[in-house]
Amino acid sequence: MHLSPAEREEFLYLNNRLSTFAGLDPEHVEDAYTDPELIERFVREAGEDLTEHQKQAVRNFVGYKKGRFYLVKQYKKYAVLLQQNRLYGVVGVDQAPAEMVQDTLPVYMEAALLPFNDTIVMTSSAVCENGSVSRSDIEYEFKQIKDVRGITETLDPQTLEEQTSPAAQAAEQELRQYLRTAATRDKHAPDIKKILDSFPELHDVYMQMYSKISARTIKKDLKACGVRERHFAVYNNSVVAVAPTRGELLEQLSDLSFDGMMGQCALFRL
């Protein structure tokens, strides 16, 4: 969806005030979002011209995020963007995000996201080349993250966990490329070890991708055996849960003494 008329008016008012204060063209107000000192100075000098609610809304602009995403779904409440291992629920300023790209979803795109009140607003977008990632892989990733981790609906710095450093983000992207298939995993084993030694926090990503590779083989073998109408969860090289429905599968995972490793499982259905 998009902002209501009242929300849109307030959103544009605050952005116009900020761009004027920063000496920027309104089209380049994004440059101000990355300058916390400028934003704090703006809030301080605005004084009683802004309400406390509006001041906090502007302070939250430092949670601005720009990058490349997959626009996967358009729901009534918001659109869903996928980036790496997280889903974002976003709205447009005056039109639904899916209407901004005018293409069949999923769409690979560059987008700018800005926290505003209790929503994430997509302020700009441009469609990019999709590369070699298939529609089925995107859907698979979307379903797994949605079921296990849910959809992030805020970029508020006070409530969103600390963002990964640029170096770690680049390392994660490289790691995911190395772990696309069993063949690329084996070929780049030394590179994978170097990344995990340098960024041990990426172990969860490694295990999730490893489980995903294993799940493909297990799914193929089970299908050849005639197994049907079951949902499976794979961790590392093993099936750790089986159920007739996805909901029951997730309940089983929740009941296991799994030490927070639920997000490292790969889920699939036959």
Side-chain angles (χ1 to χ4, degrees):
M1 285 296 289
H2 52 77
L3 297 175
S4 70
E7 290 172 328
R8 178 180 180 275
E9 182 178 354
E10 183 178 44
F11 180 81
L12 295 177
Y13 170 73
L14 294 175
N15 274 275
N16 287 337
R17 285 283 303 266
L18 178 60
S19 62
T20 299
F21 178 84
L24 297 168
D25 186 285
E27 294 182 357
H28 298 101
V29 67
E30 294 176 357
D31 294 342
Y33 302 153
T34 57
D35 190 339
E37 291 183 4
L38 183 147
I39 286 182
E40 192 57 40
R41 193 165 68 251
F42 165 73
V43 169
R44 186 171 59 251
E45 295 186 16
E48 296 183 359
D49 286 349
L50 299 180
T51 66
E52 289 303 315
H53 175 80
Q54 289 173 328
K55 290 177 181 179
Q56 188 57 52
V58 176
R59 287 190 177 103
N60 289 346
F61 285 174
V62 297
Y64 165 77
K65 184 179 184 66
K66 189 171 186 177
R68 293 195 171 187
F69 306 81
Y70 285 100
L71 174 54
V72 186
K73 298 287 183 183
Q74 176 68 63
Y75 294 131
K76 187 174 182 179
K77 181 180 180 181
Y78 48 52
V80 181
L81 300 185
L82 165 64
Q83 185 188 63
Q84 295 177 340
N85 204 31
R86 176 169 286 168
L87 299 174
Y88 298 92
V90 306
V91 301
V93 178
D94 51 19
Q95 62 182 146
E99 296 173 354
M100 297 169 67
V101 297
Q102 298 180 342
D103 279 319
T104 302
L105 305 185
V107 173
Y108 192 47
M109 61 190 297
E110 183 168 337
L113 309 182
L114 188 68
F116 179 64
N117 295 338
D118 296 324
T119 59
I120 303 174
V121 181
M122 188 166 79
T123 59
S124 66
S125 65
V127 176
C128 305
E129 289 295 328
N130 187 15
S132 58
V133 181
S134 69
R135 181 184 300 271
S136 60
D137 280 346
I138 296 170
E139 289 285 348
Y140 178 93
E141 194 82 2
F142 164 77
K143 289 178 181 177
Q144 179 171 337
I145 297 172
K146 181 175 181 291
D147 284 339
V148 176
R149 299 190 176 185
I151 299 173
T152 298
E153 299 184 16
T154 180
L155 290 177
D156 184 335
Q158 295 182 341
T159 57
L160 185 65
E161 66 187 53
E162 185 176 346
Q163 295 295 307
T164 307
S165 70
Q169 288 181 2
E172 179 175 343
Q173 185 175 5
E174 190 174 17
L175 180 63
R176 287 179 177 276
Q177 288 297 317
Y178 292 156
L179 291 168
R180 290 186 63 190
T181 66
T184 57
R185 178 196 63 199
D186 295 341
K187 178 181 178 181
H188 295 283
D191 300 309
I192 293 171
K193 184 178 185 305
K194 287 180 182 178
I195 291 175
L196 294 178
D197 287 345
S198 300
F199 300 94
E201 67 270 25
L202 294 180
H203 177 74
D204 286 356
V205 175
Y206 169 78
M207 287 306 305
Q208 184 195 54
M209 297 297 289
Y210 194 103
S211 298
K212 184 176 178 180
I213 292 171
S214 300
R216 291 184 187 133
T217 301
I218 293 172
K219 181 177 182 179
K220 182 178 179 180
D221 292 344
L222 289 173
K223 189 173 183 179
C225 293
V227 177
R228 295 291 187 275
E229 299 181 2
R230 284 294 183 271
H231 292 258
F232 297 83
V234 173
Y235 175 74
N236 200 352
N237 288 313
S238 303
V239 173
V240 293
V242 184
T245 68
R246 182 177 287 266
E248 291 174 277
L249 182 75
L250 295 174
E251 287 183 11
Q252 285 189 31
L253 289 176
S254 300
D255 291 339
L256 291 174
S257 299
F258 218 41
D259 297 329
M261 293 184 291
M262 186 173 172
Q264 299 173 20
C265 288
L267 312 182
F268 68 87
R269 176 183 179 276
L270 284 175

